[in-house]
Amino acid sequence: MRTIKCIIVDDEPLAISLLENYVRKIPFLELVFSTENPILALEYIQNNDTDVVFLDIQMPELTGINFMKIVGGKIKYVLTTAYSEYALEGYEHNIVDYLLKPISFDRFNKSALKVQERFAVSEGNSDTYFFVKSSGQQHRINFDEILYIESIKDYVNIRTVHQEYIILDSLKSLEQELPKSSFIRVHKSFMINLNQVKSIGPKKILLLSEHEIPIGDSYRANLLNSLK
């Protein structure tokens, strides 16, 4: 797999130094830019290829949340902060992980592996499953067993042929993680597995499991094009 280009944005010089040291220890990460000023980071992203940002949330010039709103979902984020109360708001965006300071190398390494897995899937990796954390445990979910995924406020419900898993994540984030050849957003609150479709009506999709999923007006054309 290719090297993942990352930048570090944090208003604390010591935090930047620590993360720079950690990044250099991970062979598949390439540090291309680091700064205490989020405005400079925005300028860098506009003019250079960037894959992931290790991003502090509380910064005086621009908060991490507003930073993500400006940049959007074209890149991925790992949030770094001393304040756990921002976790839920962060997961509304395209984040891969949430690191609570002080950050150990072991925890950083686990986060880096999550980043690598996310890019492997989005770039056509042949993996057929992924792991999610639900009810305090890590669960392996095979892609072909997923029926649909429903957004429920700050959580998503992954419904499989066997059971369902409630996890802290967003549909936007899972869209980046699941193979685009099989999974598609059909409503602001639903994503389906195309391999599980039985029939498509004017307003609803009937799955092989007999579950009915609504079709959003703005998603219908893309759905029909995907079936072609």
Side-chain angles (χ1 to χ4, degrees), residues 125-160:
N125 187 276
S126 59
D127 287 346
T128 58
Y129 64 90
F130 69 152
F131 283 88
V132 300
K133 185 176 182 180
S134 178
S135 301
Q137 295 182 318
Q138 292 287 340
H139 301 271
R140 169 174 165 156
I141 299 180
N142 294 326
F143 294 153
D144 60 3
E145 293 181 349
I146 297 174
L147 302 176
Y148 65 88
I149 304 172
E150 180 183 6
S151 175
I152 308 173
K153 293 185 178 181
D154 298 314
Y155 297 82
V156 294
N157 175 21
I158 302 176
R159 179 75 186 211
T160 73

PDB file of all heavy atoms in Angstrom, residues 125-160:
ATOM      1  N   ASN A 125      -9.172  -2.436  -1.646  1.00  0.00           N
ATOM      2  CA  ASN A 125      -8.584  -3.598  -1.016  1.00  0.00           C
ATOM      3  C   ASN A 125      -9.566  -4.763  -1.056  1.00  0.00           C
ATOM      4  O   ASN A 125     -10.777  -4.585  -1.043  1.00  0.00           O
ATOM      5  CB  ASN A 125      -8.214  -3.262   0.438  1.00  0.00           C
ATOM      6  CG  ASN A 125      -7.445  -4.370   1.114  1.00  0.00           C
ATOM      7  OD1 ASN A 125      -8.021  -5.296   1.629  1.00  0.00           O
ATOM      8  ND2 ASN A 125      -6.142  -4.254   1.112  1.00  0.00           N
ATOM      9  N   SER A 126      -9.044  -5.976  -1.097  1.00  0.00           N
ATOM     10  CA  SER A 126      -9.882  -7.158  -1.235  1.00  0.00           C
ATOM     11  C   SER A 126     -10.451  -7.665   0.086  1.00  0.00           C
ATOM     12  O   SER A 126     -11.015  -8.755   0.131  1.00  0.00           O
ATOM     13  CB  SER A 126      -9.076  -8.282  -1.913  1.00  0.00           C
ATOM     14  OG  SER A 126      -7.923  -8.604  -1.134  1.00  0.00           O
ATOM     15  N   ASP A 127     -10.287  -6.916   1.172  1.00  0.00           N
ATOM     16  CA  ASP A 127     -10.865  -7.336   2.449  1.00  0.00           C
ATOM     17  C   ASP A 127     -12.368  -7.527   2.302  1.00  0.00           C
ATOM     18  O   ASP A 127     -13.043  -6.811   1.565  1.00  0.00           O
ATOM     19  CB  ASP A 127     -10.590  -6.288   3.541  1.00  0.00           C
ATOM     20  CG  ASP A 127      -9.139  -6.307   3.982  1.00  0.00           C
ATOM     21  OD1 ASP A 127      -8.436  -7.270   3.657  1.00  0.00           O
ATOM     22  OD2 ASP A 127      -8.715  -5.352   4.651  1.00  0.00           O
ATOM     23  N   THR A 128     -12.901  -8.478   3.026  1.00  0.00           N
ATOM     24  CA  THR A 128     -14.329  -8.786   2.952  1.00  0.00           C
ATOM     25  C   THR A 128     -15.036  -8.549   4.281  1.00  0.00           C
ATOM     26  O   THR A 128     -16.183  -8.940   4.444  1.00  0.00           O
ATOM     27  CB  THR A 128     -14.534 -10.254   2.527  1.00  0.00           C
ATOM     28  OG1 THR A 128     -13.872 -11.112   3.469  1.00  0.00           O
ATOM     29  CG2 THR A 128     -13.967 -10.493   1.135  1.00  0.00           C
ATOM     30  N   TYR A 129     -14.354  -7.914   5.231  1.00  0.00           N
ATOM     31  CA  TYR A 129     -14.939  -7.690   6.549  1.00  0.00           C
ATOM     32  C   TYR A 129     -14.265  -6.499   7.211  1.00  0.00           C
ATOM     33  O   TYR A 129     -13.241  -6.000   6.745  1.00  0.00           O
ATOM     34  CB  TYR A 129     -14.759  -8.933   7.434  1.00  0.00           C
ATOM     35  CG  TYR A 129     -13.317  -9.257   7.730  1.00  0.00           C
ATOM     36  CD1 TYR A 129     -12.670  -8.718   8.842  1.00  0.00           C
ATOM     37  CD2 TYR A 129     -12.585 -10.095   6.884  1.00  0.00           C
ATOM     38  CE1 TYR A 129     -11.340  -8.993   9.100  1.00  0.00           C
ATOM     39  CE2 TYR A 129     -11.253 -10.372   7.137  1.00  0.00           C
ATOM     40  CZ  TYR A 129     -10.641  -9.827   8.242  1.00  0.00           C
ATOM     41  OH  TYR A 129      -9.314 -10.092   8.491  1.00  0.00           O
ATOM     42  N   PHE A 130     -14.870  -6.040   8.309  1.00  0.00           N
ATOM     43  CA  PHE A 130     -14.225  -5.048   9.152  1.00  0.00           C
ATOM     44  C   PHE A 130     -14.678  -5.272  10.584  1.00  0.00           C
ATOM     45  O   PHE A 130     -15.544  -6.097  10.848  1.00  0.00           O
ATOM     46  CB  PHE A 130     -14.483  -3.625   8.668  1.00  0.00           C
ATOM     47  CG  PHE A 130     -15.907  -3.130   8.812  1.00  0.00           C
ATOM     48  CD1 PHE A 130     -16.158  -1.780   8.977  1.00  0.00           C
ATOM     49  CD2 PHE A 130     -17.004  -3.987   8.767  1.00  0.00           C
ATOM     50  CE1 PHE A 130     -17.454  -1.293   9.090  1.00  0.00           C
ATOM     51  CE2 PHE A 130     -18.294  -3.513   8.872  1.00  0.00           C
ATOM     52  CZ  PHE A 130     -18.514  -2.154   9.039  1.00  0.00           C
ATOM     53  N   PHE A 131     -14.051  -4.566  11.526  1.00  0.00           N
ATOM     54  CA  PHE A 131     -14.394  -4.703  12.931  1.00  0.00           C
ATOM     55  C   PHE A 131     -15.051  -3.420  13.425  1.00  0.00           C
ATOM     56  O   PHE A 131     -14.659  -2.318  13.055  1.00  0.00           O
ATOM     57  CB  PHE A 131     -13.142  -4.993  13.771  1.00  0.00           C
ATOM     58  CG  PHE A 131     -12.657  -6.412  13.681  1.00  0.00           C
ATOM     59  CD1 PHE A 131     -11.780  -6.793  12.685  1.00  0.00           C
ATOM     60  CD2 PHE A 131     -13.097  -7.363  14.585  1.00  0.00           C
ATOM     61  CE1 PHE A 131     -11.336  -8.099  12.587  1.00  0.00           C
ATOM     62  CE2 PHE A 131     -12.659  -8.672  14.506  1.00  0.00           C
ATOM     63  CZ  PHE A 131     -11.770  -9.048  13.505  1.00  0.00           C
ATOM     64  N   VAL A 132     -16.059  -3.578  14.270  1.00  0.00           N
ATOM     65  CA  VAL A 132     -16.718  -2.429  14.894  1.00  0.00           C
ATOM     66  C   VAL A 132     -16.811  -2.684  16.396  1.00  0.00           C
ATOM     67  O   VAL A 132     -16.865  -3.827  16.850  1.00  0.00           O
ATOM     68  CB  VAL A 132     -18.129  -2.186  14.312  1.00  0.00           C
ATOM     69  CG1 VAL A 132     -18.057  -1.921  12.828  1.00  0.00           C
ATOM     70  CG2 VAL A 132     -19.069  -3.355  14.627  1.00  0.00           C
ATOM     71  N   LYS A 133     -16.837  -1.586  17.146  1.00  0.00           N
ATOM     72  CA  LYS A 133     -16.975  -1.693  18.590  1.00  0.00           C
ATOM     73  C   LYS A 133     -18.418  -1.422  18.972  1.00  0.00           C
ATOM     74  O   LYS A 133     -18.966  -0.363  18.693  1.00  0.00           O
ATOM     75  CB  LYS A 133     -16.065  -0.706  19.304  1.00  0.00           C
ATOM     76  CG  LYS A 133     -16.081  -0.858  20.817  1.00  0.00           C
ATOM     77  CD  LYS A 133     -15.083   0.077  21.480  1.00  0.00           C
ATOM     78  CE  LYS A 133     -15.061  -0.113  22.993  1.00  0.00           C
ATOM     79  NZ  LYS A 133     -14.087   0.788  23.660  1.00  0.00           N
ATOM     80  N   SER A 134     -19.055  -2.411  19.606  1.00  0.00           N
ATOM     81  CA  SER A 134     -20.440  -2.285  20.041  1.00  0.00           C
ATOM     82  C   SER A 134     -20.602  -3.003  21.368  1.00  0.00           C
ATOM     83  O   SER A 134     -20.099  -4.120  21.542  1.00  0.00           O
ATOM     84  CB  SER A 134     -21.384  -2.903  18.994  1.00  0.00           C
ATOM     85  OG  SER A 134     -22.729  -2.839  19.408  1.00  0.00           O
ATOM     86  N   SER A 135     -21.277  -2.344  22.315  1.00  0.00           N
ATOM     87  CA  SER A 135     -21.511  -2.927  23.652  1.00  0.00           C
ATOM     88  C   SER A 135     -20.207  -3.337  24.325  1.00  0.00           C
ATOM     89  O   SER A 135     -20.130  -4.364  24.995  1.00  0.00           O
ATOM     90  CB  SER A 135     -22.449  -4.134  23.551  1.00  0.00           C
ATOM     91  OG  SER A 135     -23.691  -3.760  22.976  1.00  0.00           O
ATOM     92  N   GLY A 136     -19.165  -2.526  24.110  1.00  0.00           N
ATOM     93  CA  GLY A 136     -17.900  -2.762  24.786  1.00  0.00           C
ATOM     94  C   GLY A 136     -17.039  -3.848  24.190  1.00  0.00           C
ATOM     95  O   GLY A 136     -15.985  -4.179  24.739  1.00  0.00           O
ATOM     96  N   GLN A 137     -17.438  -4.417  23.041  1.00  0.00           N
ATOM     97  CA  GLN A 137     -16.670  -5.484  22.417  1.00  0.00           C
ATOM     98  C   GLN A 137     -16.404  -5.177  20.952  1.00  0.00           C
ATOM     99  O   GLN A 137     -17.155  -4.444  20.308  1.00  0.00           O
ATOM    100  CB  GLN A 137     -17.424  -6.823  22.519  1.00  0.00           C
ATOM    101  CG  GLN A 137     -17.596  -7.334  23.939  1.00  0.00           C
ATOM    102  CD  GLN A 137     -18.306  -8.679  23.966  1.00  0.00           C
ATOM    103  OE1 GLN A 137     -19.273  -8.890  23.239  1.00  0.00           O
ATOM    104  NE2 GLN A 137     -17.825  -9.589  24.792  1.00  0.00           N
ATOM    105  N   GLN A 138     -15.331  -5.752  20.420  1.00  0.00           N
ATOM    106  CA  GLN A 138     -15.023  -5.643  19.004  1.00  0.00           C
ATOM    107  C   GLN A 138     -15.692  -6.804  18.262  1.00  0.00           C
ATOM    108  O   GLN A 138     -15.530  -7.956  18.627  1.00  0.00           O
ATOM    109  CB  GLN A 138     -13.508  -5.694  18.773  1.00  0.00           C
ATOM    110  CG  GLN A 138     -12.745  -4.498  19.300  1.00  0.00           C
ATOM    111  CD  GLN A 138     -12.968  -3.256  18.451  1.00  0.00           C
ATOM    112  OE1 GLN A 138     -13.376  -3.328  17.299  1.00  0.00           O
ATOM    113  NE2 GLN A 138     -12.681  -2.089  19.031  1.00  0.00           N
ATOM    114  N   HIS A 139     -16.458  -6.478  17.239  1.00  0.00           N
ATOM    115  CA  HIS A 139     -17.187  -7.498  16.478  1.00  0.00           C
ATOM    116  C   HIS A 139     -16.728  -7.487  15.026  1.00  0.00           C
ATOM    117  O   HIS A 139     -16.629  -6.441  14.400  1.00  0.00           O
ATOM    118  CB  HIS A 139     -18.692  -7.233  16.521  1.00  0.00           C
ATOM    119  CG  HIS A 139     -19.272  -7.218  17.893  1.00  0.00           C
ATOM    120  ND1 HIS A 139     -19.753  -8.351  18.519  1.00  0.00           N
ATOM    121  CD2 HIS A 139     -19.440  -6.191  18.776  1.00  0.00           C
ATOM    122  CE1 HIS A 139     -20.209  -8.028  19.722  1.00  0.00           C
ATOM    123  NE2 HIS A 139     -20.022  -6.726  19.900  1.00  0.00           N
ATOM    124  N   ARG A 140     -16.497  -8.679  14.487  1.00  0.00           N
ATOM    125  CA  ARG A 140     -16.176  -8.803  13.062  1.00  0.00           C
ATOM    126  C   ARG A 140     -17.488  -8.866  12.282  1.00  0.00           C
ATOM    127  O   ARG A 140     -18.369  -9.680  12.592  1.00  0.00           O
ATOM    128  CB  ARG A 140     -15.351 -10.057  12.809  1.00  0.00           C
ATOM    129  CG  ARG A 140     -15.201 -10.383  11.318  1.00  0.00           C
ATOM    130  CD  ARG A 140     -14.279 -11.538  11.084  1.00  0.00           C
ATOM    131  NE  ARG A 140     -14.418 -12.050   9.725  1.00  0.00           N
ATOM    132  CZ  ARG A 140     -13.466 -12.729   9.089  1.00  0.00           C
ATOM    133  NH1 ARG A 140     -12.309 -12.955   9.681  1.00  0.00           N
ATOM    134  NH2 ARG A 140     -13.670 -13.177   7.868  1.00  0.00           N
ATOM    135  N   ILE A 141     -17.598  -8.019  11.249  1.00  0.00           N
ATOM    136  CA  ILE A 141     -18.785  -8.006  10.406  1.00  0.00           C
ATOM    137  C   ILE A 141     -18.355  -8.238   8.963  1.00  0.00           C
ATOM    138  O   ILE A 141     -17.549  -7.492   8.419  1.00  0.00           O
ATOM    139  CB  ILE A 141     -19.546  -6.672  10.505  1.00  0.00           C
ATOM    140  CG1 ILE A 141     -20.018  -6.441  11.947  1.00  0.00           C
ATOM    141  CG2 ILE A 141     -20.736  -6.652   9.551  1.00  0.00           C
ATOM    142  CD1 ILE A 141     -20.770  -5.145  12.138  1.00  0.00           C
ATOM    143  N   ASN A 142     -18.886  -9.274   8.348  1.00  0.00           N
ATOM    144  CA  ASN A 142     -18.623  -9.548   6.942  1.00  0.00           C
ATOM    145  C   ASN A 142     -19.468  -8.607   6.081  1.00  0.00           C
ATOM    146  O   ASN A 142     -20.660  -8.432   6.328  1.00  0.00           O
ATOM    147  CB  ASN A 142     -18.954 -10.997   6.595  1.00  0.00           C
ATOM    148  CG  ASN A 142     -18.045 -11.981   7.299  1.00  0.00           C
ATOM    149  OD1 ASN A 142     -16.862 -11.704   7.519  1.00  0.00           O
ATOM    150  ND2 ASN A 142     -18.574 -13.122   7.668  1.00  0.00           N
ATOM    151  N   PHE A 143     -18.854  -8.001   5.066  1.00  0.00           N
ATOM    152  CA  PHE A 143     -19.571  -7.059   4.214  1.00  0.00           C
ATOM    153  C   PHE A 143     -20.826  -7.676   3.606  1.00  0.00           C
ATOM    154  O   PHE A 143     -21.878  -7.043   3.546  1.00  0.00           O
ATOM    155  CB  PHE A 143     -18.661  -6.560   3.084  1.00  0.00           C
ATOM    156  CG  PHE A 143     -17.497  -5.732   3.554  1.00  0.00           C
ATOM    157  CD1 PHE A 143     -16.330  -5.675   2.808  1.00  0.00           C
ATOM    158  CD2 PHE A 143     -17.558  -5.005   4.738  1.00  0.00           C
ATOM    159  CE1 PHE A 143     -15.253  -4.911   3.219  1.00  0.00           C
ATOM    160  CE2 PHE A 143     -16.488  -4.231   5.169  1.00  0.00           C
ATOM    161  CZ  PHE A 143     -15.333  -4.190   4.406  1.00  0.00           C
ATOM    162  N   ASP A 144     -20.713  -8.929   3.139  1.00  0.00           N
ATOM    163  CA  ASP A 144     -21.843  -9.529   2.427  1.00  0.00           C
ATOM    164  C   ASP A 144     -23.007  -9.898   3.344  1.00  0.00           C
ATOM    165  O   ASP A 144     -24.088 -10.261   2.873  1.00  0.00           O
ATOM    166  CB  ASP A 144     -21.392 -10.748   1.616  1.00  0.00           C
ATOM    167  CG  ASP A 144     -20.767 -11.840   2.484  1.00  0.00           C
ATOM    168  OD1 ASP A 144     -20.732 -11.679   3.730  1.00  0.00           O
ATOM    169  OD2 ASP A 144     -20.322 -12.853   1.922  1.00  0.00           O
ATOM    170  N   GLU A 145     -22.799  -9.796   4.664  1.00  0.00           N
ATOM    171  CA  GLU A 145     -23.876 -10.097   5.603  1.00  0.00           C
ATOM    172  C   GLU A 145     -24.640  -8.847   6.041  1.00  0.00           C
ATOM    173  O   GLU A 145     -25.658  -8.943   6.725  1.00  0.00           O
ATOM    174  CB  GLU A 145     -23.321 -10.813   6.833  1.00  0.00           C
ATOM    175  CG  GLU A 145     -22.771 -12.206   6.524  1.00  0.00           C
ATOM    176  CD  GLU A 145     -22.240 -12.905   7.753  1.00  0.00           C
ATOM    177  OE1 GLU A 145     -22.108 -12.233   8.814  1.00  0.00           O
ATOM    178  OE2 GLU A 145     -21.961 -14.108   7.688  1.00  0.00           O
ATOM    179  N   ILE A 146     -24.151  -7.674   5.641  1.00  0.00           N
ATOM    180  CA  ILE A 146     -24.831  -6.430   6.004  1.00  0.00           C
ATOM    181  C   ILE A 146     -26.060  -6.239   5.120  1.00  0.00           C
ATOM    182  O   ILE A 146     -25.984  -6.343   3.898  1.00  0.00           O
ATOM    183  CB  ILE A 146     -23.886  -5.222   5.852  1.00  0.00           C
ATOM    184  CG1 ILE A 146     -22.702  -5.344   6.811  1.00  0.00           C
ATOM    185  CG2 ILE A 146     -24.646  -3.921   6.121  1.00  0.00           C
ATOM    186  CD1 ILE A 146     -21.652  -4.259   6.627  1.00  0.00           C
ATOM    187  N   LEU A 147     -27.208  -5.968   5.738  1.00  0.00           N
ATOM    188  CA  LEU A 147     -28.436  -5.680   5.003  1.00  0.00           C
ATOM    189  C   LEU A 147     -28.533  -4.187   4.718  1.00  0.00           C
ATOM    190  O   LEU A 147     -28.664  -3.769   3.578  1.00  0.00           O
ATOM    191  CB  LEU A 147     -29.652  -6.138   5.809  1.00  0.00           C
ATOM    192  CG  LEU A 147     -29.718  -7.614   6.194  1.00  0.00           C
ATOM    193  CD1 LEU A 147     -30.926  -7.876   7.081  1.00  0.00           C
ATOM    194  CD2 LEU A 147     -29.767  -8.479   4.948  1.00  0.00           C
ATOM    195  N   TYR A 148     -28.474  -3.405   5.788  1.00  0.00           N
ATOM    196  CA  TYR A 148     -28.542  -1.954   5.651  1.00  0.00           C
ATOM    197  C   TYR A 148     -27.919  -1.313   6.884  1.00  0.00           C
ATOM    198  O   TYR A 148     -27.677  -1.976   7.902  1.00  0.00           O
ATOM    199  CB  TYR A 148     -29.992  -1.469   5.479  1.00  0.00           C
ATOM    200  CG  TYR A 148     -30.886  -1.717   6.676  1.00  0.00           C
ATOM    201  CD1 TYR A 148     -30.972  -0.792   7.718  1.00  0.00           C
ATOM    202  CD2 TYR A 148     -31.658  -2.864   6.763  1.00  0.00           C
ATOM    203  CE1 TYR A 148     -31.784  -1.017   8.814  1.00  0.00           C
ATOM    204  CE2 TYR A 148     -32.481  -3.104   7.852  1.00  0.00           C
ATOM    205  CZ  TYR A 148     -32.540  -2.174   8.879  1.00  0.00           C
ATOM    206  OH  TYR A 148     -33.340  -2.398   9.972  1.00  0.00           O
ATOM    207  N   ILE A 149     -27.666  -0.007   6.780  1.00  0.00           N
ATOM    208  CA  ILE A 149     -27.126   0.757   7.900  1.00  0.00           C
ATOM    209  C   ILE A 149     -27.999   1.987   8.074  1.00  0.00           C
ATOM    210  O   ILE A 149     -28.265   2.706   7.103  1.00  0.00           O
ATOM    211  CB  ILE A 149     -25.665   1.161   7.644  1.00  0.00           C
ATOM    212  CG1 ILE A 149     -24.817  -0.081   7.365  1.00  0.00           C
ATOM    213  CG2 ILE A 149     -25.102   1.929   8.842  1.00  0.00           C
ATOM    214  CD1 ILE A 149     -23.401   0.239   6.919  1.00  0.00           C
ATOM    215  N   GLU A 150     -28.429   2.227   9.292  1.00  0.00           N
ATOM    216  CA  GLU A 150     -29.334   3.340   9.580  1.00  0.00           C
ATOM    217  C   GLU A 150     -28.686   4.333  10.534  1.00  0.00           C
ATOM    218  O   GLU A 150     -28.099   3.950  11.554  1.00  0.00           O
ATOM    219  CB  GLU A 150     -30.630   2.816  10.194  1.00  0.00           C
ATOM    220  CG  GLU A 150     -31.630   3.910  10.537  1.00  0.00           C
ATOM    221  CD  GLU A 150     -32.882   3.379  11.209  1.00  0.00           C
ATOM    222  OE1 GLU A 150     -32.932   2.175  11.515  1.00  0.00           O
ATOM    223  OE2 GLU A 150     -33.813   4.181  11.430  1.00  0.00           O
ATOM    224  N   SER A 151     -28.785   5.609  10.217  1.00  0.00           N
ATOM    225  CA  SER A 151     -28.280   6.664  11.091  1.00  0.00           C
ATOM    226  C   SER A 151     -29.299   6.972  12.171  1.00  0.00           C
ATOM    227  O   SER A 151     -30.485   7.174  11.888  1.00  0.00           O
ATOM    228  CB  SER A 151     -27.993   7.924  10.273  1.00  0.00           C
ATOM    229  OG  SER A 151     -27.606   8.987  11.127  1.00  0.00           O
ATOM    230  N   ILE A 152     -28.835   7.000  13.434  1.00  0.00           N
ATOM    231  CA  ILE A 152     -29.701   7.314  14.575  1.00  0.00           C
ATOM    232  C   ILE A 152     -28.976   8.337  15.436  1.00  0.00           C
ATOM    233  O   ILE A 152     -28.212   7.993  16.327  1.00  0.00           O
ATOM    234  CB  ILE A 152     -30.040   6.058  15.399  1.00  0.00           C
ATOM    235  CG1 ILE A 152     -30.580   4.937  14.506  1.00  0.00           C
ATOM    236  CG2 ILE A 152     -31.043   6.385  16.504  1.00  0.00           C
ATOM    237  CD1 ILE A 152     -30.765   3.611  15.231  1.00  0.00           C
ATOM    238  N   LYS A 153     -29.186   9.622  15.126  1.00  0.00           N
ATOM    239  CA  LYS A 153     -28.519  10.721  15.826  1.00  0.00           C
ATOM    240  C   LYS A 153     -27.004  10.560  15.741  1.00  0.00           C
ATOM    241  O   LYS A 153     -26.451  10.584  14.664  1.00  0.00           O
ATOM    242  CB  LYS A 153     -29.025  10.831  17.269  1.00  0.00           C
ATOM    243  CG  LYS A 153     -30.484  11.249  17.364  1.00  0.00           C
ATOM    244  CD  LYS A 153     -30.914  11.472  18.804  1.00  0.00           C
ATOM    245  CE  LYS A 153     -32.361  11.933  18.881  1.00  0.00           C
ATOM    246  NZ  LYS A 153     -32.821  12.187  20.257  1.00  0.00           N
ATOM    247  N   ASP A 154     -26.324  10.372  16.879  1.00  0.00           N
ATOM    248  CA  ASP A 154     -24.872  10.275  16.884  1.00  0.00           C
ATOM    249  C   ASP A 154     -24.374   8.849  16.660  1.00  0.00           C
ATOM    250  O   ASP A 154     -23.163   8.605  16.718  1.00  0.00           O
ATOM    251  CB  ASP A 154     -24.313  10.781  18.224  1.00  0.00           C
ATOM    252  CG  ASP A 154     -24.635  12.246  18.459  1.00  0.00           C
ATOM    253  OD1 ASP A 154     -24.449  13.041  17.525  1.00  0.00           O
ATOM    254  OD2 ASP A 154     -25.104  12.582  19.561  1.00  0.00           O
ATOM    255  N   TYR A 155     -25.274   7.930  16.406  1.00  0.00           N
ATOM    256  CA  TYR A 155     -24.923   6.526  16.248  1.00  0.00           C
ATOM    257  C   TYR A 155     -25.424   5.990  14.912  1.00  0.00           C
ATOM    258  O   TYR A 155     -26.192   6.643  14.209  1.00  0.00           O
ATOM    259  CB  TYR A 155     -25.531   5.696  17.383  1.00  0.00           C
ATOM    260  CG  TYR A 155     -25.008   6.049  18.749  1.00  0.00           C
ATOM    261  CD1 TYR A 155     -25.522   7.137  19.452  1.00  0.00           C
ATOM    262  CD2 TYR A 155     -23.990   5.310  19.341  1.00  0.00           C
ATOM    263  CE1 TYR A 155     -25.029   7.481  20.707  1.00  0.00           C
ATOM    264  CE2 TYR A 155     -23.495   5.640  20.595  1.00  0.00           C
ATOM    265  CZ  TYR A 155     -24.025   6.725  21.270  1.00  0.00           C
ATOM    266  OH  TYR A 155     -23.529   7.056  22.503  1.00  0.00           O
ATOM    267  N   VAL A 156     -24.958   4.789  14.565  1.00  0.00           N
ATOM    268  CA  VAL A 156     -25.520   4.088  13.420  1.00  0.00           C
ATOM    269  C   VAL A 156     -25.867   2.671  13.852  1.00  0.00           C
ATOM    270  O   VAL A 156     -25.212   2.083  14.727  1.00  0.00           O
ATOM    271  CB  VAL A 156     -24.549   4.035  12.219  1.00  0.00           C
ATOM    272  CG1 VAL A 156     -24.308   5.416  11.650  1.00  0.00           C
ATOM    273  CG2 VAL A 156     -23.247   3.356  12.588  1.00  0.00           C
ATOM    274  N   ASN A 157     -26.911   2.139  13.231  1.00  0.00           N
ATOM    275  CA  ASN A 157     -27.330   0.763  13.457  1.00  0.00           C
ATOM    276  C   ASN A 157     -26.960  -0.052  12.228  1.00  0.00           C
ATOM    277  O   ASN A 157     -27.499   0.162  11.148  1.00  0.00           O
ATOM    278  CB  ASN A 157     -28.844   0.700  13.712  1.00  0.00           C
ATOM    279  CG  ASN A 157     -29.337  -0.733  13.826  1.00  0.00           C
ATOM    280  OD1 ASN A 157     -28.561  -1.645  14.095  1.00  0.00           O
ATOM    281  ND2 ASN A 157     -30.628  -0.934  13.623  1.00  0.00           N
ATOM    282  N   ILE A 158     -26.004  -0.973  12.394  1.00  0.00           N
ATOM    283  CA  ILE A 158     -25.611  -1.859  11.304  1.00  0.00           C
ATOM    284  C   ILE A 158     -26.429  -3.140  11.430  1.00  0.00           C
ATOM    285  O   ILE A 158     -26.230  -3.934  12.351  1.00  0.00           O
ATOM    286  CB  ILE A 158     -24.104  -2.184  11.347  1.00  0.00           C
ATOM    287  CG1 ILE A 158     -23.286  -0.894  11.290  1.00  0.00           C
ATOM    288  CG2 ILE A 158     -23.724  -3.117  10.201  1.00  0.00           C
ATOM    289  CD1 ILE A 158     -21.794  -1.121  11.416  1.00  0.00           C
ATOM    290  N   ARG A 159     -27.351  -3.334  10.513  1.00  0.00           N
ATOM    291  CA  ARG A 159     -28.233  -4.504  10.545  1.00  0.00           C
ATOM    292  C   ARG A 159     -27.680  -5.580   9.607  1.00  0.00           C
ATOM    293  O   ARG A 159     -27.510  -5.353   8.408  1.00  0.00           O
ATOM    294  CB  ARG A 159     -29.644  -4.114  10.095  1.00  0.00           C
ATOM    295  CG  ARG A 159     -30.617  -5.278  10.073  1.00  0.00           C
ATOM    296  CD  ARG A 159     -31.039  -5.672  11.468  1.00  0.00           C
ATOM    297  NE  ARG A 159     -31.854  -6.860  11.477  1.00  0.00           N
ATOM    298  CZ  ARG A 159     -32.810  -7.117  12.371  1.00  0.00           C
ATOM    299  NH1 ARG A 159     -33.065  -6.240  13.332  1.00  0.00           N
ATOM    300  NH2 ARG A 159     -33.489  -8.230  12.323  1.00  0.00           N
ATOM    301  N   THR A 160     -27.366  -6.747  10.167  1.00  0.00           N
ATOM    302  CA  THR A 160     -26.860  -7.863   9.369  1.00  0.00           C
ATOM    303  C   THR A 160     -27.904  -8.967   9.320  1.00  0.00           C
ATOM    304  O   THR A 160     -28.967  -8.872   9.946  1.00  0.00           O
ATOM    305  CB  THR A 160     -25.552  -8.422   9.965  1.00  0.00           C
ATOM    306  OG1 THR A 160     -25.836  -9.160  11.167  1.00  0.00           O
ATOM    307  CG2 THR A 160     -24.567  -7.301  10.281  1.00  0.00           C
TER     308      THR A 160
END
